[in-house]
Amino acid sequence: MKSDVEELMPRLLPVETCDTGEDFNLNEPPRNPQEYLRQVQLEASLCPDVVVAKIDPKKLRKKQSVNVSLTGCQAAPQGFSPSLKWQRQQVSNFSEIRQSISKHRQHWSGHALDDNVLMPKQDSEEQWKKFCLGENVYLNSPPIDPGVEDRGLDYVKVGFPPFLSIVSRLNQATISAVLEYLINWFEEREFVPQLGRWLYALLACLEKPLLPEAHSLIRQLARRSSEVRANLESQEDERLSPLNLMICLVARYFDQNDLADKED
């Protein structure tokens, strides 16, 4: 094996063969260049021929590869796409909100959370879905009786809003992770107000330039939003405006221009 290694890695410097019996102390600095090279040679001879890394598969993320689809959004039905003026105004508003969050992040992150706010761990996908959407949406439970709701909101049931004191505590890795959890949930279900609020807040906290994972996620969000919009039956549907907003922000603010709505 040693000869194979020497054949694959020919010597580049004329160094005499190290006598393993020589009294070298690897913990002491070499006194001259020749002694340094001999110490390196001795250290190499002590290394095993084959090294196997110990990897805990539980620590690996489920998705290791990032596939960025270049597929565009579905065209909006006639009269369902927003005007260019509306899109520009939403981008301007969104930009101001991002600046405000960035400016006051440290202030809000220092605010104490209520006792009932238990932030899930970053890799707790199901817990994050329950936290953001609420158990009623997550478990597809019947709507809350208005009489019960008037007695006080149960955020565990209806979902915690993306308060600044909450989102300001999230680092970029957690923001990307929660975005992924919610967008994957949206791929198989309908749009709900809790989802829209959290997607907007997370996008407002997402730093540019985007990482490849985030780039893929927001494109996925815009495409899914266009699919749901294409199946709406009325321009009066309350989901139309937030769906248009998701597409607008991804395309116009995050520079995914191929996904942008064109004026009718």
Side-chain angles (χ1 to χ4, degrees):
M1 184 66 185
K2 293 295 184 183
S3 60
D4 294 340
V5 174
E6 290 177 358
E7 183 178 346
L8 291 172
M9 302 172 60
R11 296 181 182 179
L12 299 180
L13 296 173
V15 184
E16 298 178 3
T17 303
C18 178
D19 182 0
T20 56
E22 292 187 46
D23 186 18
F24 275 123
N25 187 343
L26 297 179
N27 296 322
E28 294 183 0
R31 292 168 293 183
N32 52 61
Q34 190 71 9
E35 190 169 299
Y36 166 75
L37 293 174
R38 288 188 179 183
Q39 286 188 2
V40 171
Q41 191 180 56
L42 178 58
E43 288 178 345
S45 69
L46 298 176
C47 294
D49 293 334
V50 178
V51 178
V52 179
K54 295 181 180 179
I55 300 176
D56 184 359
K58 295 181 181 179
K59 295 183 179 180
L60 297 176
R61 294 190 63 183
K62 295 179 182 178
K63 296 181 179 180
Q64 292 293 309
S65 58
V66 177
N67 297 317
V68 179
S69 173
L70 298 179
T71 306
C73 289
Q74 291 191 23
Q78 184 69 29
F80 280 61
S81 62
S83 67
L84 185 57
K85 178 180 179 181
W86 182 91
Q87 294 181 63
R88 288 172 175 166
Q89 183 61 52
Q90 300 309 315
V91 170
S92 176
N93 294 343
F94 184 68
S95 179
E96 291 179 3
I97 289 174
R98 283 174 60 90
Q99 292 175 16
S100 178
I101 291 175
S102 177
K103 181 178 180 180
H104 301 291
R105 177 182 293 274
Q106 186 173 359
H107 168 75
W108 283 106
S109 63
H111 276 226
L113 297 175
D114 292 340
D115 294 337
N116 65 332
V117 182
L118 300 177
M119 302 277 286
K121 295 181 179 179
Q122 179 181 318
D123 58 354
S124 300
E125 179 172 353
E126 302 308 314
Q127 293 302 317
W128 271 111
K129 292 176 184 175
K130 291 180 183 179
F131 183 86
C132 299
L133 305 173
E135 290 184 353
N136 292 332
V137 171
Y138 178 80
L139 300 174
N140 198 25
S141 301
I144 298 176
D145 181 8
V148 175
E149 188 172 359
D150 289 342
R151 292 197 293 268
L153 283 176
D154 183 351
Y155 287 131
V156 174
K157 297 292 185 182
V158 302
F160 287 89
F163 295 125
L164 284 173
S165 56
I166 293 177
V167 296
S168 296
R169 284 175 160 79
L170 306 181
N171 58 32
Q172 288 300 300
T174 303
I175 290 170
S176 295
V178 179
L179 261 179
E180 180 179 1
Y181 302 153
L182 296 180
I183 292 173
N184 288 341
W185 184 91
F186 183 35
E187 282 287 342
E188 301 176 355
R189 295 169 181 83
E190 290 299 317
F191 189 89
V192 293
Q194 296 95 320
L195 177 66
R197 288 192 288 265
W198 268 97
L199 290 175
Y200 189 93
L202 292 170
L203 290 176
C205 296
L206 191 62
E207 293 180 356
K208 296 173 72 174
L210 298 179
L211 295 174
E213 294 86 350
H215 178 272
S216 176
L217 281 172
I218 64 171
R219 290 183 63 86
Q220 181 182 345
L221 170 60
R223 289 195 301 271
R224 174 57 180 163
S225 298
S226 71
E227 291 173 8
V228 175
R229 181 181 63 181
N231 292 317
L232 297 181
E233 297 180 354
S234 169
Q235 296 181 27
E236 303 303 319
D237 194 308
E238 61 183 10
R239 294 172 293 173
L240 178 58
S241 182
L243 290 170
N244 281 338
L245 181 58
M246 293 297 109
I247 299 169
C248 169
L249 296 180
V250 170
R252 301 293 184 183
Y253 186 85
F254 290 102
D255 303 317
Q256 307 302 306
N257 296 312
D258 61 303
L259 304 179
D261 279 318
K262 309 300 188 292
E263 287 192 280
D264 291 336

